[in-house]
Amino acid sequence: MRKKILLVTACLILLCGCGQNPIDAKFDSEINTFCESVSTIGARMDAIEVDAEESSIRYAASDLLSCLDELEVEFMKFSHIDFPEEFDYLEDMADEAGQYMAEAAASYHRAYEDGYHREMEEYARENYTRACRRVTVILALLRGEDIENLQQ
């Protein structure tokens, strides 16, 4: 009798997919993939070293721009994630994050490719910050956290 109960329980668990809704599982997977990708790119950005030499600065700028291009791709993928119905209200903010990162990447290119343009870099940094801020808010809301206490 005990073996039959265990077998029935195991079958029910397998048939129910361990209680995970396939839509939620896909969404969770996409969010986790985004976070892992952005984390990896961020670590590469943090590891960029710049010496005082002209060639080092060019290579560092090239590496930074390459990372920003990758971030743009990841943020655009993020903006196209289909959020579950309960989080539909976050889709516009995800779209904004993608748009801000696209503008940041393009602006960083303009800031560094033909010499250095400080004003363009500031504009790029502002867009980058806006994109990251929106993702931070989205992730906090998905975790059920209070966003009023998020650092500005």
Side-chain angles (χ1 to χ4, degrees):
M1 180 69 167
R2 189 172 186 188
K3 286 184 181 180
K4 286 184 181 180
I5 292 174
L6 288 174
L7 181 60
V8 169
T9 303
C11 288
L12 286 174
I13 289 173
L14 289 173
L15 288 174
C16 295
C18 299
Q20 182 82 18
N21 178 332
I23 294 170
D24 291 343
K26 182 178 185 284
F27 175 73
D28 290 346
S29 174
E30 290 172 328
I31 293 294
N32 288 335
T33 299
F34 169 77
C35 291
E36 290 169 7
S37 296
V38 168
S39 177
T40 300
I41 297 166
R44 286 194 1 249
M45 289 172 72
D46 290 341
I48 295 172
E49 293 185 26
V50 182
D51 295 329
E53 296 178 26
E54 178 76 22
S55 62
S56 175
I57 293 170
R58 274 194 309 246
Y59 286 123
S62 176
D63 289 346
L64 175 64
L65 294 175
S66 176
C67 288
L68 288 164
D69 290 342
E70 291 176 43
L71 278 177
E72 178 185 1
V73 169
E74 293 304 321
F75 271 66
M76 291 311 290
K77 287 181 195 174
F78 179 76
S79 73
H80 290 97
I81 292 175
D82 186 24
F83 284 65
E85 189 174 314
E86 66 200 83
F87 297 113
D88 269 351
Y89 67 98
L90 297 174
E91 286 189 5
D92 287 341
M93 193 179 302
D95 291 343
E96 289 175 3
Q99 292 167 355
Y100 278 124
M101 187 55 73
E103 184 63 25
S107 299
Y108 272 116
H109 276 276
R110 288 191 298 272
Y112 291 126
E113 285 184 340
D114 278 333
Y116 172 69
H117 305 280
R118 187 174 60 82
E119 296 82 16
M120 187 57 69
E121 182 189 43
E122 289 172 5
Y123 175 71
R125 187 178 318 117
E126 185 178 309
N127 281 288
Y128 178 87
T129 300
R130 288 177 179 171
C132 292
R133 175 79 176 141
R134 278 159 178 72
V135 168
T136 300
V137 168
I138 290 169
L139 295 176
L141 289 170
L142 290 175
R143 291 188 299 263
E145 296 174 3
D146 182 16
I147 60 170
E148 286 184 28
N149 297 325
L150 288 177
Q151 191 175 20
Q152 294 291 328

